[in-house]
């Protein structure tokens, strides 16, 4: 290269520079004419040479002493012509070159072959070095004798420095590339064989430079990529487009895979021919793993979010269902249920219309009880035969829902419903089952899509509706039964009241007329007749007592008894009633004992009713006791109630009959007590009265040992305050 450029430039100073300096031939000829044309030409050359200042051009004598000097020489070397002419040219050489005898060698060579060229360090006058291109040409006369040398020197220091810089930068670059560890950077020759290798390549791929240089780069590709000729394909694209880039799997020396980013760049020479490919590969496995981890965690987050949303939806749905369930449980009859279905259920479901149909008892027909959102439902659709194939009948017959996702599907299966259901795009009909039977169906129509979640919701809702219907029908049946029972009871009470009233009138007449006869108003009566009249009178009294009991009971039962509350002293009641039964007790030879009861023991009750109860208990005690004692005790330990207990030493009552005796008309152990009269109403009336006054009657008994009946009534102070508070 140095020679090339020298060759080029060797011409120019003589031509271009001469011209460039405005060489003027006529001017030269005018100033210097005496020597003729040849002389003129020589003079011109001298001038020319002297004025050239890009080259040092000077002549040496055959021994190397300087004969001439020009501007360029002065500029490069720093000497003036006066200073240097006559000096030996070795003055320009570094000491080591002189010691080598290099200057003489140059001259000898130039003399021998005519020309010597060299590049090397030379010394300026000030001692500094410069890099010079030197051409020494031997000058010979016509006879061929050596007359000296022409020496042309060019200062190449700058070029040399530029070259050094380039070399240094190339070296730096090479070192740089070599030491890069994160990237595999290497060259491929045009056929794809590895030409260079760096540390990064070794680190990433595992091969040392020795192992890999010269190998084809397809060694880095997995078999499947090689099978389809992928490596070659990459080079073709890089050659055509200049560069090829991709990410993909590559193989390490140990056979493991790594995810690589690969850039292949075609490298071309100056003339455009392909010198090879630069290949830069980066191991992205870590990055890819990180991406995958990020992706996985993103997926996880998404999955968690979805799960959260589902849970939220479920929660919201459960809440809505609970609300509907609550509304349905408050509905006691079919109109209330349909009201909940239509006004609350449909909006929650997102439905536009619905109908509730119930099967009749025989299961032959379904009657639509209520509908909503259809406009006017035609008569044929209100009552349908179970043999008709319609969604409701099908749901009731099969016990399974009929779900129709589209109009087309619905029209195809149930063409009869085309017009009625035309405004709705989808339908779902749910069977309603209660007590093991499909009692009806709930049909729901919507313009929304029937997805799984809305169907689930509808199913749950339909179940709730079915349960509500079942509850309603149970409730209704119970209500009806109760009404019937109440009616029967009232009829009975009314009958008893009427009858006993009717019976009392003639009985009173019987008593009255018997008294008249006994008084002898109708004439004298014999003793025998008097005895008979006495029997009539007893029977009449007995019958009247029974009838009074019945009347009493029917009044109590019918809730017609009237209570007049006051503070009642228990000791007074006990004393009064004791006097009433004393004659009968004495007649049977029984002892009647009343324990002391303080006057301030008072109850809040109707005094006559308390007397009636206690009289009944004492009469029974006398009636069912043949010998021994009847005791009346009063217990007032409790602040809430007062207990009066009548204990006898009579026949007793069997354990399993202790409750029955409070039923009306029950008289147990009839055979044992045949001697006793009664209606079996006394205890029933007594308990009703006691309970009506917030009291109670209880009994304990042992057969053959006696019985103990306790009347418990609220204490007055308590009761009184309580009432006033109300
Ligand atoms: P009545 O006394 O008119 O038969 P009650 O209702 O007063 O009707 O009594 C019902 C039945 O309870 C009596 O028939 C009798 O069998 C039983 N009973 C009631 N009090 C006693 C008692 N103190 N001892 C044994 N049995 C009694």
């Amino acid at each position: 290269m140095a020679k090339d450029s020298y060759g080029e430039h060797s011409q120019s100073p003589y031509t271009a520079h001469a011209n460039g300096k405005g060489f003027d031939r006529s001017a030269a000829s005018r100033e210097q004419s005496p020597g003729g044309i040849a002389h003129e030409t020589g003079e011109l050359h001298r001038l020319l040479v002297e004025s050239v200042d890009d080259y040092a051009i000077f002549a040496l004598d055959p021994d190397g002493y300087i004969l001439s000097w020009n501007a360029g020489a002065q500029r490069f070397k720093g000497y003036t012509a006066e200073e240097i002419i006559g000096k030996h040219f070795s003055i320009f050489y570094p000491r080591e070159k002189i010691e080598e005898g290099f200057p003489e060698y140059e001259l000898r060579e130039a003399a021998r072959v005519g020309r010597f060229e060299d590049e090397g360090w030379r010394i300026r006058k000030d001692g500094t070095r410069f890099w010079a291109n030197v051409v020494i040409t031997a000058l010979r006369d016509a006879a061929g004798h050596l007359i000296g040398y022409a020496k042309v020197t060019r200062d190449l220091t700058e070029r040399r420095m530029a070259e050094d810089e380039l070399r240094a930068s190339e070296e730096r670059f090479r070192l740089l590339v070599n030491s890069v560890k994160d990237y595999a950077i290497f060259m491929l020759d045009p056929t794809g064989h590895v030409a260079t290798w760096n540390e990064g390549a070794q680190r990433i791929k595992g091969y040392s430079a020795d192992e890999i240089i010269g190998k084809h780069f397809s060694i880095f590709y997995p078999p499947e990529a090689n099978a389809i000729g992928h490596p070659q394909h990459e080079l073709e694209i890089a050659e055509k487009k200049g560069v090829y880039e991709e990410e993909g799997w590559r193989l390490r020396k140990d056979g493991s895979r790594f995810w690589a980013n690969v850039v292949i760049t075609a490298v071309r020479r100056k003339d455009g021919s392909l010198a090879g490919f630069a290949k830069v590969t980066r191991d992205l496995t870590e990055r890819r793993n990180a991406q995958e981890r990020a992706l996985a965690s993103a997926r996880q987050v998404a999955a968690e979010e979805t799960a959260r949303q589902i849970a939220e939806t479920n929660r919201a749905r459960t809440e809505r269902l609970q609300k509907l369930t609550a509304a349905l449980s408050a509905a006691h009859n079919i109109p209330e249920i349909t009201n909940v279905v239509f006004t609350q259920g449909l909006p929650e479901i997102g439905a536009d219309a619905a109908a509730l149909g119930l099967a009749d008892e025989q299961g032959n027909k379904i009657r639509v009880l209520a509908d909503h959102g259809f406009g006017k439902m035609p008569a044929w659709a209100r009552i349908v035969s179970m043999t008709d194939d319609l969604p409701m009948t099908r749901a009731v017959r099969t016990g399974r829902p009929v779900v129709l996702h589209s109009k087309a599907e619905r029209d195809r299966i149930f063409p009869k419903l085309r017009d009625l259901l035309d405004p709705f795009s989808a339908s779902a009909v749910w069977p309603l089952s209660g007590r093991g039977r499909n009692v009806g169906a709930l049909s729901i129509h919507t313009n929304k899509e029937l997805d799984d979640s809305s169907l689930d919701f509808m199913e749950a809702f339909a179940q709730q509706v079915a349960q509500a219907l079942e509850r309603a029908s149970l409730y209704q049946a119970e209500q009806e039964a109760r009404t019937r029972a109440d009616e029967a009871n009232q009829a009975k009470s009314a009958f008893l009241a009427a009858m006993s009233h009717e019976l009392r009138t003639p009985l009173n007449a019987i008593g009255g007329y018997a008294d008249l006869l006994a008084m002898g108003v109708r004439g004298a009566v014999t003793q025998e007749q008097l005895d008979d009249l006495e029997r009539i009178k007893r029977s009449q009294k007995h019958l009247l007592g029974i009838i009074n009991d019945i009347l009493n009971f029917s009044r109590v039962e019918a809730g017609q008894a009237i209570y007049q509350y006051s503070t009642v002293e228990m000791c007074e009641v006990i004393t009064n009633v004791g006097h009433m039964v004393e004659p009968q007790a004495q007649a049977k030879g029984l002892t009647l004992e009343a324990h002391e009861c303080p006057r301030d023991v008072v109850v809040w009750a109707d005094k006559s009713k308390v007397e009636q109860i206690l009289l009944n208990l004492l009469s029974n005690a006398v009636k069912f006791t043949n010998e021994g004692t009847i005791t009346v005790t009063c217990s007032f330990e409790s602040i809430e109630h007062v207990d009066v207990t009548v204990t006898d030493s009579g026949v007793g009552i069997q354990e399993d009959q202790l409750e029955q005796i409070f039923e009306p008309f029950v008289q147990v152990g009839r055979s044992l007590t045949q001697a006793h009269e009664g209606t079996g109403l006394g205890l029933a009336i007594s308990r009703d009265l006691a309970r009506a006054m917030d009291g109670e009657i209880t009994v304990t008994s042992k057969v053959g040992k006696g019985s103990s009946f306790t009347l418990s009534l609220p204490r007055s102070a308590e009761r009184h305050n309580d009432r006033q508070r109300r």
Side-chain angles (χ1 to χ4, degrees):
M1 182 190 153
K3 283 192 182 140
D4 283 353
S5 61
Y6 175 71
E8 278 163 28
H9 293 287
S10 60
Q11 302 296 322
S12 59
Y14 293 88
T15 51
H17 279 240
N19 287 334
K21 282 188 185 268
F23 174 66
D24 188 336
R25 200 168 180 239
S26 60
S29 63
R30 264 196 316 278
E31 280 168 21
Q32 293 167 6
S33 55
I37 191 77
H39 178 75
E40 268 180 29
T41 312
E43 187 60 15
L44 265 176
H45 271 290
R46 193 181 62 77
L47 283 170
L48 176 89
V49 167
E50 280 176 0
S51 67
V52 167
D53 74 350
D54 282 344
Y55 290 82
I57 303 172
F58 53 97
L60 302 177
D61 72 6
D63 296 320
Y65 290 92
I66 298 163
L67 294 173
S68 73
W69 202 237
N70 80 337
Q74 180 164 349
R75 195 166 70 84
F76 291 168
K77 314 219 181 199
Y79 299 98
T80 63
E82 289 83 54
E83 281 172 332
I84 202 68
I85 287 176
K87 297 266 168 60
H88 193 264
F89 86 108
S90 61
I91 195 170
F92 306 131
Y93 287 75
R95 183 194 308 273
E96 66 275 12
K97 287 282 177 194
I98 298 169
E99 280 167 6
E100 270 175 21
F102 187 73
E104 290 78 11
Y105 166 75
E106 283 187 323
L107 294 187
R108 268 201 316 277
E109 279 300 298
R112 193 171 64 83
V113 298
R115 189 176 181 277
F116 180 85
E117 181 166 356
D118 175 42
E119 274 189 19
W121 292 111
R122 295 295 181 269
I123 310 284
R124 293 200 187 89
K125 182 186 166 188
D126 62 7
T128 58
R129 292 183 173 214
F130 69 99
W131 186 259
N133 174 278
V134 179
V135 178
I136 301 176
T137 310
L139 300 173
R140 292 178 191 277
D141 63 11
H145 295 113
L146 181 75
I147 56 168
Y149 301 92
K151 194 169 178 212
V152 177
T153 301
R154 201 178 160 202
D155 184 347
L156 295 182
T157 311
E158 272 179 27
R159 202 196 71 193
R160 166 81 189 189
M161 275 160 67
E163 277 174 12
D164 281 354
E165 180 55 34
L166 182 66
R167 248 200 306 283
S169 91
E170 275 173 356
E171 179 62 11
R172 276 199 302 274
F173 183 67
R174 196 179 60 77
L175 287 171
L176 180 83
V177 167
N178 274 347
S179 60
V180 166
K181 292 196 180 72
D182 290 339
Y183 290 83
I185 303 174
F186 54 98
M187 287 289 299
L188 300 178
D189 70 12
T191 57
H193 292 86
V194 178
T196 69
W197 200 239
N198 79 336
E199 228 182 292
Q202 173 155 358
R203 195 180 68 83
I204 293 173
K205 311 215 183 206
Y207 297 98
S208 69
D210 293 345
E211 284 171 327
I212 200 70
I213 287 178
K215 296 262 166 61
H216 193 263
F217 84 119
S218 57
I219 195 169
F220 306 132
Y221 288 75
E224 64 272 15
N226 278 322
I228 56 166
H230 187 67
Q232 198 50 44
H233 173 72
E234 289 185 348
L235 294 190
E236 279 161 16
I237 292 182
E239 191 177 349
K240 207 153 70 194
K241 303 226 166 122
V243 67
Y244 175 84
E245 178 164 4
E246 72 157 27
E247 285 190 9
W249 291 110
R250 295 292 183 272
L251 289 187
R252 297 199 185 89
K253 183 185 167 189
D254 64 9
S256 61
R257 288 182 180 220
F258 67 99
W259 184 257
N261 170 282
V262 180
V263 179
I264 301 178
T265 312
V267 177
R268 293 186 182 278
R269 297 189 193 88
K270 277 215 178 77
D271 64 0
S273 64
L274 186 68
F277 300 92
K279 199 166 176 227
V280 179
T281 302
R282 195 172 174 203
D283 183 351
L284 297 182
T285 313
E286 218 358 85
R287 200 190 74 187
R288 188 183 159 94
N289 287 348
Q291 273 173 354
E292 268 170 8
R293 279 196 297 274
L295 212 64
S297 71
R299 271 197 214 107
Q300 165 124 7
V301 168
E304 279 166 8
E305 177 59 14
T306 313
R308 199 190 60 71
Q309 277 176 3
I310 289 173
E312 176 57 25
T313 312
N314 284 345
R315 197 192 56 73
R317 214 177 67 182
T318 309
E319 220 166 65
R320 288 188 291 147
L321 201 60
Q322 274 167 355
K323 256 208 252 155
L324 288 174
T325 305
L328 282 172
S329 10
H332 290 304
N333 51 38
I334 288 171
E336 282 172 17
I337 291 170
T338 53
N339 184 45
V340 172
V341 171
F342 296 150
T343 61
Q344 299 185 38
L346 291 199
E348 287 289 4
I349 291 168
D352 301 299
L356 184 68
L358 284 192
D360 61 7
E361 279 296 315
Q362 299 76 39
N364 293 332
K365 287 187 163 58
I366 291 181
R367 200 159 62 86
V368 173
L369 291 183
D371 62 274
H372 177 90
F374 292 98
K376 193 165 154 44
M377 187 177 268
W380 65 262
R382 304 204 140 271
I383 299 181
V384 293
S385 162
M386 202 62 93
T387 52
D388 280 359
D389 192 19
L390 291 169
M392 271 198 181
T393 57
R394 204 184 263 200
V396 171
R397 274 199 316 266
T398 62
R400 284 201 301 272
V402 178
V403 179
L404 303 156
H405 287 277
S406 69
K407 264 191 204 184
E409 186 186 6
R410 191 177 57 211
D411 292 350
R412 184 169 54 73
I413 306 176
F414 304 105
K416 203 173 171 185
L417 295 173
R418 185 193 299 261
D419 292 341
L420 181 63
L421 299 181
D422 192 56
F424 317 110
S425 61
S427 303
V429 182
W430 303 90
L432 302 172
S433 53
R435 279 176 283 178
R437 199 168 81 90
N438 295 325
V439 293
L442 175 65
S443 76
I444 297 170
H445 309 276
T446 177
N447 278 308
K448 296 212 175 82
E449 213 180 300
L450 293 176
D451 56 16
D452 283 353
S453 130
S454 62
L455 286 173
D456 285 351
F457 188 81
M458 285 184 198
E459 183 173 15
F461 179 62
Q463 274 169 15
Q464 294 301 326
V465 172
Q467 284 172 20
L469 282 175
E470 189 176 354
R471 275 196 306 273
S473 81
L474 286 175
Y475 180 76
Q476 203 180 332
E478 188 205 3
Q479 285 289 95
E480 281 165 7
R482 187 176 298 169
T483 312
R484 275 198 298 274
D486 283 356
E487 282 167 6
N489 259 348
Q490 281 185 357
K492 189 175 79 187
S493 297
F495 166 75
L496 289 175
M499 204 181 65
S500 41
H501 186 262
E502 294 305 305
L503 289 174
R504 260 180 354 160
T505 313
L507 272 179
N508 281 330
I510 291 170
Y513 284 110
D515 283 345
L516 281 180
L517 290 177
M519 278 182 225
V521 176
R522 303 293 179 199
V525 283
T526 64
Q527 188 54 45
E528 281 175 319
Q529 286 168 328
L530 264 182
D531 290 347
D532 290 345
L533 282 174
E534 186 52 36
R535 284 186 195 102
I536 291 172
K537 196 71 207 294
R538 246 200 333 270
S539 294
Q540 181 265 345
K541 267 192 185 148
H542 177 60
L543 203 52
L544 193 61
I546 290 175
I547 287 167
N548 281 338
D549 267 1
I550 290 173
L551 189 59
N552 213 334
F553 173 70
S554 61
R555 281 214 192 101
V556 172
E557 273 290 284
Q560 288 164 352
I562 293 159
Y563 297 84
Q564 288 180 325
Y565 284 93
S566 67
T567 299
V568 179
E569 283 176 25
M570 276 325 279
C571 68
E572 194 193 332
V573 173
I574 294 168
T575 309
N576 290 349
V577 177
H579 288 314
M580 287 189 219
V581 293
E582 212 158 14
Q584 288 128 302
Q586 272 174 6
K588 287 186 85 173
L590 301 172
T591 314
L592 186 61
E593 278 179 21
H595 287 198
E596 182 72 13
C597 182
R599 293 199 75 80
D600 61 347
V601 174
V602 289
V603 296
W604 183 252
D606 179 321
K607 191 178 171 193
S608 67
K609 303 274 192 306
V610 179
E611 281 178 351
Q612 186 183 340
I613 295 168
L614 204 57
L615 180 61
N616 181 245
L617 295 181
L618 271 171
S619 308
N620 279 347
V622 173
K623 226 191 308 184
F624 299 105
T625 305
N626 298 321
E627 55 183 11
T629 313
I630 292 161
T631 323
V632 184
T633 57
C634 177
S635 141
F636 44 90
E637 285 81 37
S638 164
I639 54 160
E640 285 173 356
H641 51 90
V642 175
D643 297 343
V644 180
T645 303
V646 177
T647 308
D648 63 52
S649 54
V651 296
I653 307 155
Q654 282 181 23
E655 174 103 32
D656 60 342
Q657 291 172 332
L658 285 177
E659 263 312 298
Q660 284 179 35
I661 56 173
F662 292 98
E663 298 288 321
F665 305 109
V666 171
Q667 292 179 315
V668 299
R670 191 73 184 150
S671 57
L672 288 174
T673 60
Q674 240 145 20
H676 314 291
E677 296 151 339
T679 54
L681 280 173
L683 285 176
I685 292 171
S686 295
R687 187 177 252 188
D688 275 355
L689 292 174
R691 285 182 176 173
M693 295 184 291
D694 284 354
E696 183 60 287
I697 294 177
T698 51
V699 61
T700 58
S701 184
K702 262 210 160 84
V703 177
K705 290 256 151 92
S707 311
S708 193
F709 285 81
T710 300
L711 165 66
S712 178
L713 286 168
R715 270 190 105 137
S716 179
E718 259 278 321
R719 199 65 203 166
H720 191 61
N721 294 342
D722 197 29
R723 296 247 158 168
Q724 281 178 338
R725 255 184 268 128
R726 281 188 197 165

